[in-house]
Amino acid sequence: HATEEVPFGLQVVDNDSPHLAENPVEREVLFLMMEFTIQDGPYSVIAEELNRRGYRTRQGMAWTPISVFQMLPRLIEVGPRIFATEEWQQRRARLGKVAGG
């Protein structure tokens, strides 16, 4: 049977019964993309920053402005869950301090 692609940020955990669980590395990529997007960072800057930090696409390639752009539907999908996390609140507080001087 055809396997459906697992959404970015999740992975199949195949214990006794396969199910989806968070992929910590991909989750961090989504959080970073969201941070930079909210700061109006251009896709080229987001891609450069992800690459500088050592993150790669699922295919093992460097991030490009196009590959970042292609993640927007996934960011929109997971945004409400990201915004609801305590981690996001802490990140926003740090960003506010940096932006505020």
Side-chain angles (χ1 to χ4, degrees), residues 8-89:
F8 194 88
L10 298 174
Q11 62 189 357
V12 175
V13 178
D14 192 8
N15 297 350
D16 294 326
S17 58
H19 62 282
L20 294 178
E22 279 191 342
N23 177 313
V25 173
E26 290 184 357
R27 179 179 182 271
E28 179 64 16
V29 168
L30 289 170
F31 267 75
L32 288 169
M33 283 184 180
M34 189 66 79
E35 284 181 14
F36 290 121
T37 300
I38 285 175
Q39 297 173 56
D40 290 328
Y43 301 134
S44 57
V45 170
I46 297 172
E48 287 171 17
E49 188 60 25
L50 290 172
N51 292 326
R52 187 184 70 75
R53 295 183 187 204
Y55 294 108
R56 294 295 177 257
T57 66
R58 276 196 173 163
Q59 294 72 34
M61 308 295 288
W63 288 95
T64 65
I66 292 172
S67 59
V68 171
F69 175 77
Q70 290 170 334
M71 290 298 298
L72 288 182
R74 182 64 180 146
L75 278 180
I76 291 167
E77 185 181 349
V78 300
R81 285 190 296 257
I82 288 176
F83 296 147
T85 64
E86 179 67 28
E87 179 181 350
W88 179 257
Q89 301 308 317

